[in-house]
Amino acid sequence: MSATQDSPTSYGSVSRFNHWLGALLVLALLAIGLYFEDMPKGDARKFWRGLHIAIGAFASLFLLWRVYWRVSSTSPQELPQQPALQKFARVVHVLLLVGIAVLAITGPLIIWSTGRAIPVFDLLSIPSPFPEFRALHEPLEEVHGFTADAMLFLIGFHLLGVIKHQFIDRDGILKRMSGRA
């Protein structure tokens, strides 16, 4: 088994890289999105919204790759715990992946539904692949916002699971995700 691939006892380097970079990007995008969400219209809101869009445009393809890799690769064996917690952990992981995919897809579609290009740090712009379709704009924003809110809860459950495994079960879960297992 290659060190890039997952093994029965630990995650490979690709999974670890995807997890930690994906976590950083998702947390940054959620934080920025929550920060500017209730700001009044103006230059500050425009700046933070633009930053969110630019990072999101950069991150979308990577995050979709991250979802694909997790779904298509073999995960290490699950750590032993009560069956109900095992099921709950599986559901949380699946919903996190679904949430990432929904956010990575709806983000660009929100902008493209207005017929505009996506600006990326004033370096380039990603043109809309289809004409303006305003009827989709508001529903896409609602799905994006709901999914972002749901991600906050899912991330919280995920972190509680890590804390439980690391400090109560003491089963070395962080070693698996750091490549030391």
Side-chain angles (χ1 to χ4, degrees):
M1 178 102 24
S2 166
T4 61
Q5 301 294 313
D6 297 346
S7 75
T9 58
S10 69
Y11 289 95
S13 59
V14 174
S15 290
R16 289 191 317 270
F17 176 79
N18 286 346
H19 177 270
W20 293 113
L21 180 59
L24 178 68
L25 290 169
V26 167
L27 291 173
L29 288 164
L30 284 170
I32 294 167
L34 289 170
Y35 182 70
F36 81 79
E37 180 180 32
D38 293 326
M39 280 183 152
K41 289 186 180 193
D43 289 341
R45 179 183 168 92
K46 187 176 179 180
F47 168 81
W48 288 105
R49 185 176 178 275
L51 183 62
H52 178 81
I53 289 168
I55 293 170
F58 165 76
S60 285
L61 287 177
F62 169 77
L63 291 171
L64 290 172
W65 155 254
R66 190 249 182 278
V67 170
Y68 168 78
W69 180 266
R70 183 72 278 136
V71 170
S72 65
S73 63
T74 312
S75 296
Q77 295 169 344
E78 294 176 339
L79 295 169
Q81 61 182 343
Q82 296 173 347
L85 289 176
Q86 198 89 15
K87 244 180 213 173
F88 185 68
R90 271 190 235 121
V91 167
V92 168
H93 282 109
V94 167
L95 290 176
L96 280 167
L97 292 173
V98 168
I100 290 169
V102 168
L103 292 171
I105 293 167
T106 59
L109 289 177
I110 288 169
I111 297 167
W112 288 336
S113 68
T114 65
R116 294 185 323 220
I118 297 172
V120 183
F121 297 115
D122 292 330
L123 298 173
L124 66 113
S125 231
I126 305 167
S128 179
F130 46 83
E132 181 178 335
F133 193 14
R134 287 261 176 200
L136 276 181
H137 185 73
E138 195 169 318
L140 287 168
E141 280 188 332
E142 288 178 23
V143 169
H144 196 77
F146 173 82
T147 304
D149 290 342
M151 289 292 284
L152 294 173
F153 287 100
L154 293 167
I155 291 166
F157 287 134
H158 183 65
L159 292 174
L160 286 173
V162 169
I163 291 167
K164 174 202 165 282
H165 279 285
Q166 189 66 24
F167 298 108
I168 296 171
D169 299 343
R170 297 183 184 266
D171 54 18
I173 196 163
L174 289 178
K175 287 182 180 179
R176 287 166 50 129
M177 202 39 104
S178 66
R180 295 189 201 139

